[in-house]
Amino acid sequence: MYMSRPEARPAHVEVLVDGTPVLVPEGASAAAAVLMAGLPALRSTPITGAPRLPYCMMGVCFDCLAEINGVPNRQACMVTVEAGMRIAPQRGARAVEPR
Ligand code: FES
């Protein structure tokens, strides 16, 4: 029987996914936290409103766009979780600030 050593287990951090606390292994991405939370969708498309969840997990598909700590249009798969991070779904298109 496999017995894991407590010191071998990864540390966890607590994040809020759509307001729900979720424990996530340290070093995981915000997209992984979303999948662990079991959300039905993280964003909807601007044109048809189709639901989307993280897909490629490597910064290619943009299906993981989310609001992270109040900042919209973040690729959740490219952001490492931090304790207390707030990850929220994003609906439709967001305004882009002019530079
Ligand atoms: S899951 Fe594809 S870009 Fe993030």
Side-chain angles (χ1 to χ4, degrees):
M1 179 172 154
Y2 175 74
M3 301 280 287
S4 69
R5 297 170 298 146
E7 66 274 8
R9 293 184 200 136
H12 288 76
V13 295
E14 185 177 281
V15 300
L16 290 174
V17 178
D18 201 15
T20 301
V22 179
L23 279 178
V24 184
E26 223 173 50
S29 69
V34 167
L35 296 175
M36 291 176 74
L39 288 187
L42 180 58
R43 74 174 187 98
S44 60
T45 59
I47 304 297
T48 66
R52 292 288 189 261
L53 278 172
Y55 180 67
C56 72
M57 303 299 277
M58 59 183 191
V60 175
C61 73
F62 288 75
D63 278 344
C64 64
L65 290 181
E67 184 177 302
I68 297 178
N69 289 338
V71 179
N73 293 321
R74 303 286 313 275
Q75 283 180 280
C77 69
M78 305 305 285
V79 177
T80 302
V81 292
E82 295 172 358
M85 177 179 275
R86 292 172 287 112
I87 305 161
Q90 179 167 300
R91 306 281 179 239
R94 287 290 184 266
V96 176
E97 299 288 325
R99 290 187 176 211

